Amino acid sequence: MEQQSGSSQSPRSPSSQPYLLVSVTDPVKLGDGVQAYISYRVITKTNLPEDLSPEKIVIRRYSDFVWLRDRLFEKYKGIFIPPLPEKSAVEKFRLSAEFIEMRRQALDVFVNRIASHSELQQSEDLRTFLQADEETMERLTSQETGIFKKPADLMQIFKDVQSKVSDVVFGKEKPVEESNPEYEKLKHYVFELENHLAEAQKHAYRLVKRHRELGQSLSDFGKAAKLLGACEGQALGKAFSELGAKSETLSVKLQKEAHQLLMKFEEPLKDYVRAVQSIKATIGERANAFRQQCELAETTKLKEINLACMLTRSDRVGEAEHEYNLLKAESEEATRRFETIVRLMNEEIVCFQEQKTQDMGIGFHEFAKGQARLAHSIADAWRSLLPKLEACSA
């Protein structure tokens, strides 16, 4: 669950091997109110033979990343397209430094996952995203070529789903679903994983909140203890002042640990929740492809039967044969498309599980180390005060 950090770092140092290295850096707030947005420098270094400049710096905004994600989702069926951080209407008005850094980090992870994917890194849309000037990108994003761009599109999707559900409920149409034990097992795993990751992320958020609240309480207590020490006698006053100073020092440590928890534990967990949602979107595409394959196969079979009946009693046999051949070719293409999605999904889920195992192992190990380090630091700080406080109470 390690993610790139440091908003002004350059891309990682290239090696002699083929590489495509991208860094999302230097977020800058532009505009005010509802018109406010963040721009980022996207730095690319590569030695790939494709039509890419060895070094390139472009300026991008969140909508450009959305454009890239949508284009890839439309073109690469069966591949798990990396997720984007969700757009927050509330944070858009605040645009706090912490939110901006979380967004920058998530966008950096997003584009590097694409750049490191053997299929996606060859995308023409990725090259456009990394190399095109700002005017070109603005023109592309304004064309609304991505999915879910307009409210009308969302309403039409809702109506289509509602219609399908009604047909099933009233017996007009039986849902065409893939019957495959391994596929059912995969779907069950994905839905269970999403629930468990979401639960872990929820409690990670509570841990961050608890650290911050405890840090703030220690800060407030430290100030009160120092004021109390100022009105007491020399020995007691000094002990109270040191107690207050130590509380404020520990407050800073807790706030720093809360930030580390947020950036390196909670946010990566949230990113994995989004990743699972991307897998579910691909499952949806697989279901659509399977349904289309079945419908075309059935239609082709009926067309073949009709054609056989026409051979002895119709002068439109030639036209019917042509229609049948077109439909058969379309059906075969739908079958190939479905089989490609299945093959790619099987490859993708293996890679996903391997990466998840590695990331989760690192993330939880770092979490445990951080908590142990904080606990020792807090214990040492309070322990150092015990002799002075004991002397005052003797």
Side-chain angles (χ1 to χ4, degrees), residues 292-293 296-297 300 323-337:
Q292 186 179 37
Q293 172 199 240
L296 281 170
T300 302
E323 291 177 357
Y324 167 73
N325 289 332
L326 289 176
L327 189 60
K328 184 179 179 182
E330 186 180 355
S331 177
E332 290 172 348
E333 176 59 30
T335 299
R336 284 192 294 271
R337 188 162 53 245

Side-chain angles (χ1 to χ4, degrees), residues 25-258:
T25 71
D26 302 326
V28 176
K29 179 184 175 183
L30 300 172
D32 296 302
V34 293
Q35 301 299 322
Y37 67 93
I38 305 297
S39 72
Y40 307 87
R41 293 174 73 216
V42 178
I43 308 171
T44 305
K45 289 187 177 183
T46 184
N47 65 353
L48 294 179
E50 285 81 0
D51 185 22
L52 284 168
S53 302
E55 293 191 25
K56 185 76 174 180
I57 299 177
V58 294
I59 303 298
R60 294 290 179 258
R61 55 186 295 184
Y62 180 79
S63 57
D64 300 327
F65 291 86
V66 173
W67 174 86
L68 175 61
R69 190 272 316 275
D70 289 350
R71 296 283 288 185
L72 294 176
F73 183 80
E74 286 297 301
K75 293 181 179 181
Y76 290 86
K77 304 300 183 183
I79 291 177
F80 303 155
I81 305 303
L84 278 171
E86 54 277 341
K87 198 164 188 175
S88 172
V90 175
E91 287 290 352
K92 184 175 178 62
F93 289 94
R94 297 195 310 169
L95 290 178
S96 64
E98 185 173 78
F99 169 78
I100 290 172
E101 174 55 19
M102 285 193 299
R103 170 64 60 84
R104 183 210 64 78
Q105 178 175 281
L107 294 176
D108 187 276
V109 170
F110 163 77
V111 75
N112 274 285
R113 282 177 175 163
I114 295 171
S116 63
H117 192 285
S118 58
E119 293 285 336
L120 299 180
Q121 70 172 207
Q122 301 176 42
S123 163
E124 190 67 39
D125 294 311
L126 177 62
R127 286 199 284 276
T128 298
F129 175 84
L130 296 176
Q131 305 267 310
D133 58 51
E134 286 72 56
E135 289 183 3
T136 300
M137 280 306 304
E138 185 176 1
R139 185 174 67 253
L140 289 170
T141 55
S142 67
Q143 290 172 354
E144 297 187 333
T145 53
I147 57 172
F148 302 157
K149 285 287 184 179
K150 297 177 289 187
D153 295 336
L154 291 171
M155 184 56 67
Q156 186 58 50
I157 290 169
F158 174 75
K159 288 179 179 178
D160 291 344
V161 172
Q162 190 178 45
S163 175
K164 287 284 185 184
V165 171
S166 296
D167 288 345
V168 172
V169 170
F170 292 109
K172 298 178 184 177
E173 177 184 328
K174 292 184 178 180
V176 181
E177 294 184 356
E178 185 179 349
S179 179
N180 181 318
E182 286 299 314
Y183 182 48
E184 290 300 316
K185 184 178 177 181
L186 170 63
K187 289 195 293 184
H188 178 75
Y189 164 75
V190 168
F191 280 85
E192 285 289 297
L193 180 62
E194 181 184 27
N195 290 336
H196 296 323
L197 282 171
E199 188 71 10
Q201 185 267 321
K202 179 179 72 175
H203 290 293
Y205 166 78
R206 290 177 178 173
L207 276 172
V208 172
K209 185 179 179 183
R210 179 175 173 270
H211 278 58
R212 284 180 167 164
E213 289 174 346
L214 182 56
Q216 185 59 53
S217 296
L218 275 172
S219 176
D220 295 340
F221 172 74
K223 291 182 176 67
K226 287 166 77 174
L227 290 172
L228 183 61
C231 68
E232 288 291 344
Q234 186 174 0
L236 186 59
K238 185 177 179 181
F240 283 164
S241 295
E242 290 188 20
L243 176 63
K246 195 69 69 175
S247 297
E248 290 179 332
T249 300
L250 289 176
S251 168
V252 173
K253 288 182 181 292
L254 278 161
Q255 296 292 356
K256 286 182 178 178
E257 182 61 28

Side-chain angles (χ1 to χ4, degrees), residues 353-367:
Q353 289 174 319
E354 289 176 352
Q355 190 64 51
K356 175 177 63 67
T357 298
Q358 179 182 342
D359 290 346
M360 291 293 172
I362 293 172
F364 279 90
H365 181 251
E366 290 300 313
F367 164 74

Side-chain angles (χ1 to χ4, degrees), residues 287-315:
N288 289 337
F290 179 77
R291 183 165 55 250
Q292 186 179 37
Q293 172 199 240
C294 292
E295 290 171 353
L296 281 170
E298 185 177 352
T299 305
T300 302
K301 189 175 181 180
L302 291 173
K303 198 78 172 177
E304 184 178 5
I305 294 171
N306 291 337
L307 180 62
C309 295
M310 292 174 63
L311 288 177
T312 57
R313 57 183 181 83
S314 176
D315 56 354

